[in-house]
Amino acid sequence: MSKELIEWREKNLNKISKSFCAAKWYNASIHLGHGYTGSCHLPLPHPIDLEEIKTNPSAIHNTKHKKQMRKMMLSGIRPAECSYCWKIEDIGRDNVSDRVYKSIIYDQDDIDKIEEMDYRDDVLLKTLEISFDRTCNFACSYCNAGYSTTWGKEIQKFGPYQKMKTDSAGAYRSDGSWSEVFGKHNERNPFVQAFFEWWPELSTKLEEIRITGGEPSLSHNFWDFIEVLKSNPSPNLRLAVNSNLGMSPETLEKMIEMTNTISVKEVDIYTSNESYGAHAEYIRDGLVYEKWRSNLVNFLERANLRSLTIMMTINSLCLYSITEFLDDMIVLKKRYGANKPNVDLNILRWPAFMSPLVLPDEIKKELHAKLTKWFNEKMTPNLFSIGEFAQFQRLLDYIQVVEKGHVTTEDDKEKLHHDFKSFYVQYDSRRGKNFKDTFPELSDWYDTIKVDQSIPTVSLNDGRITHFESGTYPYPPAKII
């Protein structure tokens, strides 16, 4: 299924350079609440220059850092920040990385124009993922206070997570208060102001805007932007919204009504889940599976949508019921159409101790066999697209190659296993959950992991080493891989 995509990559991307990705020009993930941006959701975001946006609001996308990355790509150099794609491609086996999926959506003429540009040019986006703030009613295990106010409240109540060894631990030492320097509701946020200033020009070329969070439906900035769209029809624009679908009946009705009245070309809904029932409720704290599924069906039946996509963040724990979850999505695909819902599989890398790679080899082997059997029996062309096929095959190969010793993180297995246990012990205590009851298959291995009680206690917002909190970027522009 990936043959066509590989041929497209060779013909349209690699002819420019073997490290080229059009997303560096035409796509962005912008966190207005934090003042950070990235070319997509895979590289760690880097800071937007607060002074530059005063005279050039497009610098919320066209940062000096991105321009250096563009220069590298045009020269055939692999930016280290894009290591996820390079690791996928280097696995071999005809795997297709996200630089293909994130480039193939653009017209070939637009891709070809990049060769004629100066890497320092300011570029108008064609696709944009943007978040206004971190307001959220969920506190998913692999998230943190930088993206969720509910996570922030937990840290404020119980303090930072303790007894952890890896770099990933930095995300669980902060309550996220660092992100509210412009007011609790971003009422004085210059990054939000720059976005609205840039919007009249940006909207002339933008093909899709995807609004994420936090939970967008809880953000007043989101609804302010919806009013802008209602007042200024955008017939060529696709509006996409990421929602956890854990909303109240009143908000559900408001969202469905919005899809039927807004003056845009099309509306897409994205939601997140990757496991079934109790597993989903454990991993994505705040989610009630039956409520989530009911709201999902409401959107499928009553909203005016082009498509609905399930974003699946593939972590170690979801592998135990990922096939059951996909079976449930097949029921909906058969009822509403193959793209309602789509599934989009993204392999979690951060925090590293939640990655599928952390599991012991014998457990990965068992899970690989289960997933392979499901893939061969259930993944049929009438229900799944070429991209969905390729992403699932990529997951199978990723697990199998790592089983043979593929190195993917800077932390050694002992540290990762240690923090896996240390985190979930505290997670259970704080959230009223029970890891061993929920995942009995991992119970024996879990019991063998010992938490080092000699690790010094950390204070709230102490030792802030994550990219958001430190204000530094982990990949110098000159670093290549």
Side-chain angles (χ1 to χ4, degrees), residues 442-453:
L442 284 173
S443 182
D444 289 345
W445 171 64
Y446 190 73
D447 284 341
T448 67
I449 304 171
K450 305 301 180 185
V451 176
D452 183 356
Q453 298 299 328

Side-chain angles (χ1 to χ4, degrees), residues 1-10 96 100 104 386:
M1 284 294 179
S2 60
K3 182 179 179 181
E4 297 172 37
L5 295 173
I6 291 171
E7 291 176 351
W8 187 90
R9 181 188 69 192
E10 297 303 312
V96 177
V100 173
I104 199 171
I386 291 175

Side-chain angles (χ1 to χ4, degrees), residues 291-436:
K291 177 182 180 180
W292 174 83
R293 193 184 189 282
S294 174
N295 286 347
L296 179 68
V297 169
N298 254 299
F299 270 98
L300 290 171
E301 291 187 344
R302 300 173 49 220
N304 181 20
L305 302 177
R306 181 187 71 129
S307 68
L308 194 152
T309 300
I310 314 294
M311 298 179 292
M312 301 175 65
T313 302
I314 308 302
N315 58 87
S316 55
L317 299 184
C318 81
L319 297 178
Y320 280 95
S321 62
I322 185 174
T323 54
E324 290 81 356
F325 174 74
L326 288 169
D327 284 340
D328 198 16
M329 295 305 100
I330 285 175
V331 172
L332 300 181
K333 281 175 172 282
K334 288 180 177 179
R335 184 181 303 166
Y336 300 108
N339 70 331
K340 293 183 177 179
N342 299 305
V343 293
D344 183 38
L345 285 73
N346 294 287
I347 301 169
L348 180 143
R349 298 177 298 147
W350 191 271
F353 60 82
M354 294 185 192
S355 164
L357 314 186
V358 170
L359 296 173
D361 289 346
E362 64 274 13
I363 292 177
K364 291 206 297 283
K365 186 178 294 185
E366 292 172 3
L367 290 168
H368 184 272
K370 177 185 177 183
L371 269 59
T372 300
K373 184 175 186 293
W374 184 91
F375 177 77
N376 292 332
E377 293 178 355
K378 300 287 187 70
M379 208 157 199
T380 57
N382 62 314
L383 292 174
F384 292 92
S385 68
I386 291 175
E388 289 170 319
F389 265 90
Q391 288 179 6
F392 202 94
Q393 183 64 65
R394 179 177 68 184
L395 172 61
L396 293 176
D397 288 344
Y398 194 75
I399 295 173
Q400 191 172 49
V401 169
V402 170
E403 177 183 303
K404 297 176 181 177
H406 185 65
V407 178
T408 60
T409 69
E410 60 180 344
D411 296 301
D412 62 44
K413 280 292 182 70
E414 185 279 326
K415 289 183 179 179
L416 294 170
H417 291 171
H418 175 276
D419 282 9
F420 181 97
K421 174 72 173 282
S422 183
F423 175 86
Y424 285 117
V425 166
Q426 296 173 77
Y427 184 76
D428 282 358
S429 175
R430 294 164 181 239
R431 309 290 178 90
K433 298 182 182 293
N434 191 306
F435 180 91
K436 292 171 66 174

Side-chain angles (χ1 to χ4, degrees), residues 132 195-196 199 209 211 216-217 219-234 239-241 254-255 257-259 261-264 267:
F132 290 106
F195 167 72
F196 279 105
W199 179 252
I209 183 167
I211 304 175
S217 68
S219 168
H220 75 87
N221 286 309
F222 167 74
W223 293 108
D224 287 348
F225 180 64
I226 295 301
E227 290 304 312
V228 169
L229 291 181
K230 286 183 177 180
S231 302
N232 301 276
S234 302
L239 171 67
V241 181
K254 189 176 180 181
M255 287 286 286
E257 186 271 341
M258 178 270 293
T259 71
T261 58
I262 197 166
S263 298
V264 295
V267 178

Side-chain angles (χ1 to χ4, degrees), residues 36-83:
Y36 279 70
T37 185
S39 52
C40 67
H41 67 283
L42 294 172
L44 294 176
H46 60 276
I48 298 167
D49 189 323
L50 191 56
E51 290 301 312
E52 189 174 6
I53 63 173
K54 292 178 180 179
T55 56
N56 178 18
S58 85
I60 61 173
H61 162 53
N62 293 295
T63 63
K64 292 181 175 66
H65 174 86
K66 281 187 188 177
K67 291 175 180 179
Q68 288 300 312
M69 299 300 102
R70 293 170 186 170
K71 181 180 181 181
M72 291 171 70
M73 283 191 166
L74 291 172
S75 302
I77 299 171
R78 288 178 164 188
E81 66 176 21
C82 302
S83 62

